[in-house]
Amino acid sequence: MSAPDIDTQVLVVGAGPVGLMLAGELALGGADVVVLERRTGPLTESRASTLHARTMELLDQRGLLEELGTPPAGGPGHFGGTRLDLTTDSPYSGQWKVPQVRTEELLEGWATRLGARVVKGHRLTDLRTAPHTVEATAEAEPGPGGAASALRVRAAYVVGCDGESSTVRELAGFAFPGRDATRELLRADVADVQVPDRRFERHPGGLAISARGPGGVTRVMVHEYGAPVGREPGPPSFARVADTWRRVTGDDIGGGAPLWLNSFGDALRQASQYRRGRILLAGDAAHHQMPVGGQALNLGLQDAANLGWKLAAEVRGTAGPGLLDSYHAERHPAGRRVLDNIAAQALVLLGGSGTEQVRSLFGELLREPRVRAHLAGTIAGVDVRYAAEPGAHRLVGARVPYLRFGTGADTAEGPGSSFAALWPGRGVLVDLGGRPTPVLAAVAPWRDGRVDVVAATPEPGGAAPEFTSALLRPDGHVAWADGTVPELEAALRRWFGPAARR
């Protein structure tokens, strides 16, 4: 057999936000990675534009927020169209508006600076697995002579980040149970129209949403109660959107200039497995859901943050037994929980007159502080807690709290916070005791590029720390805190592999 055109450790299929985030995480972890994308250039439409608190934390934990700048706040959140205050304990509480084209630009620049290669204009057509490799074939766009050329890539692992109609998922035979859409929301960006802003405005015949954005472009979204889901290939026609808008609202937008057309339904599916041997799924390839409030994009980016460092350790040969399998074990339940949340919202949002009592009840419940905090934490992604051993510190499995460090950091140029300590993408043992301890001695065999140590003091006047010593995973979740030295050593072996030989 002839040599492949490209040999790499990990092939990521799909250069959307999830694929690019994963590529950056892999490259940061020392893996050789290639990203395959069928598009030849950047997006020309707006698509997903909402980043939630947990995603902003992840960007901060990679030092990307300075480059991104301070995005505009996204205004109040909602649960199924009912206003919801998204205040959480995050420094990035609320929601933030970043056009998807900017998110992709940010993540692609980061990933390629770290060494990831992005190959555009190629469509995956075949996957063949062998005991130690996967070979992918992709077709390029036809050249000037009219003939398409094939590209062959050999990789140790392939990750499908290629969306809800994932070719990787189909070729690899992943089961994708769930249900198809029974309700649909039509969406369009339209220039040269004058319609009032509407926030989840309910009419006898349906639901209407409209907002005028920068440059005078108006986004409209409309759902007609009882209307069948469109089955035409591709996006809906503007005539269909305009007719539905007129029937629901009485307004005529037919004279406007459509810039982008899209529709999404309440389909709900999740892959039974996120890993099948050397092939894995992340983002919409692993779960298909209605993109209510931007949760779909943020869920996928959090998949990438969980998977990247684990798969990098696997291909470097430093992963302990079961590390890569923990991706499915952690992210499948997290995804299921978000999908259940979205299904409830879709029923409340798109249900007709028969669901008015449910909406009224939700309105009452959301005024209860504990209910509001619970739902805000779920939507923002800050309440994700992975499984921990019985009796472990209450932070184990949760995301690390944001903690600013004072002048006691181990070097003058040391990290200024618990988030900045994670910029290198390694594990971190944060010690706030300010002196050598058996804990610091225990971590020494892993200080070979897998785990850093930050000895610091909390910033005076800041929030009281919830731990004295804590071991952080590269994705910002706590692996151990204030336990015994044997418990610390067990956590180090589990998440960072065997101790180095002395």
Side-chain angles (χ1 to χ4, degrees):
M1 182 179 291
S2 61
D5 299 282
I6 297 175
D7 239 322
T8 187
Q9 290 177 315
V10 183
L11 173 65
V12 175
V13 181
V18 176
L20 293 170
M21 180 81 174
L22 179 61
E25 292 290 320
L26 286 163
L28 187 65
D32 184 68
V33 56
V34 170
V35 183
L36 196 66
E37 170 57 47
R38 65 183 305 171
R39 286 180 288 148
T40 57
L43 287 173
T44 57
E45 64 270 4
S46 48
R47 294 196 183 181
S49 61
T50 299
L51 300 183
H52 288 142
R54 181 56 185 148
T55 299
M56 293 289 284
E57 291 180 357
L58 292 171
L59 295 178
D60 189 354
Q61 290 166 9
R62 293 299 179 259
L64 292 171
L65 286 190
E66 183 175 347
E67 182 180 348
L68 179 64
T70 303
H78 71 93
F79 185 91
T82 299
R83 186 184 179 110
L84 174 64
D85 177 4
L86 291 177
T87 299
T88 64
D89 65 350
S90 171
Y92 305 106
S93 189
Q95 56 184 354
W96 306 86
K97 302 303 289 185
V98 181
Q100 184 170 326
V101 65
R102 177 65 184 118
T103 302
E104 291 186 6
E105 178 186 58
L106 174 76
L107 295 174
E108 183 172 349
W110 174 59
T112 54
R113 287 194 302 272
L114 291 168
R117 292 171 285 169
V118 180
V119 180
K120 296 186 177 181
H122 287 76
R123 177 176 58 88
L124 182 72
T125 57
D126 189 42
L127 284 176
R128 296 181 183 274
T129 59
H132 303 292
T133 59
V134 183
E135 187 169 291
T137 304
E139 295 289 339
E141 294 297 319
S149 60
L151 175 72
R152 289 174 50 237
V153 183
R154 183 170 59 199
Y157 290 90
V158 172
V159 187
C161 300
D162 50 343
E164 61 192 43
S165 300
S166 170
T167 302
V168 172
R169 187 183 65 229
E170 181 179 348
L171 290 174
F174 283 82
F176 201 46
R179 58 173 173 77
D180 293 330
T182 58
R183 302 180 181 90
E184 183 180 40
L185 197 66
L186 305 178
R187 179 166 57 171
D189 287 347
V190 188
D192 304 326
V193 294
Q194 296 291 333
V195 296
D197 282 359
R198 293 175 163 93
R199 181 174 171 82
F200 303 109
E201 188 175 276
R202 309 195 77 84
H203 295 260
L207 173 75
I209 305 162
S210 56
R212 193 173 181 84
V217 175
T218 298
R219 170 163 291 187
V220 299
M221 291 188 280
V222 60
H223 168 69
E224 186 174 15
Y225 299 143
V229 174
R231 301 299 180 190
E232 68 268 32
S237 67
F238 183 55
R240 182 174 169 226
V241 175
D243 287 347
T244 304
W245 184 263
R246 177 181 48 76
R247 287 194 299 271
V248 171
T249 69
D251 292 343
D252 184 6
I253 61 171
L259 304 177
W260 177 58
L261 297 159
N262 177 253
S263 66
F264 55 86
D266 61 348
L268 203 70
R269 294 186 178 276
Q270 185 179 28
S272 299
Q273 303 164 275
Y274 282 12
R275 177 190 179 193
R276 294 194 68 189
R278 294 184 173 273
I279 303 178
L280 302 100
L281 303 175
D284 286 351
H287 38 76
H288 180 193
Q289 61 286 305
M290 188 174 177
V292 176
Q295 284 179 268
L297 169 64
N298 290 269
L299 180 63
L301 290 171
Q302 292 156 35
D303 288 345
N306 183 284
L307 174 60
W309 66 277
K310 297 174 180 178
L311 185 51
E314 186 73 27
V315 299
R316 290 198 324 265
T318 61
L323 179 66
L324 191 54
D325 286 330
S326 74
Y327 168 61
H328 170 88
E330 293 184 336
R331 292 307 299 170
H332 193 277
R336 183 72 257 167
R337 186 164 178 253
V338 172
L339 264 62
D340 288 346
N341 170 287
I342 288 175
Q345 289 197 64
L347 177 63
V348 174
L349 181 64
L350 302 182
S353 58
T355 57
E356 292 297 339
Q357 294 87 350
V358 176
R359 276 191 292 278
S360 177
L361 177 61
F362 267 109
E364 293 179 21
L365 290 173
L366 292 181
R367 291 193 288 272
E368 293 292 328
R370 290 181 62 185
V371 174
R372 185 214 64 78
H374 174 80
L375 291 177
T378 300
I379 291 172
V382 299
D383 69 342
V384 173
R385 180 183 295 271
Y386 300 133
E389 294 295 326
H393 191 284
R394 68 178 192 84
L395 285 179
V396 175
R399 76 196 213 287
V400 61
Y402 181 76
L403 181 66
R404 289 198 60 82
F405 297 153
T407 56
D410 47 3
T411 68
E413 295 79 26
S417 72
S418 54
F419 285 9
L422 291 159
W423 286 5
R426 296 187 285 269
V428 181
L429 190 286
V430 176
D431 179 70
L432 304 179
R435 61 186 184 279
T437 67
V439 166
L440 299 183
V443 80
W446 285 267
R447 296 187 69 178
D448 57 357
R450 289 177 288 172
V451 178
D452 296 332
V453 171
V454 172
T457 56
E459 184 178 61
E466 300 178 60
F467 59 85
T468 300
S469 297
L471 176 66
L472 312 184
R473 301 176 355 173
D475 59 0
H477 282 259
V478 179
W480 169 92
D482 289 346
T484 66
V485 168
E487 289 169 344
L488 171 60
E489 291 172 335
L492 286 161
R493 287 191 296 270
R494 178 182 181 189
W495 298 114
F496 302 103
R501 293 182 180 179
R502 300 182 182 180

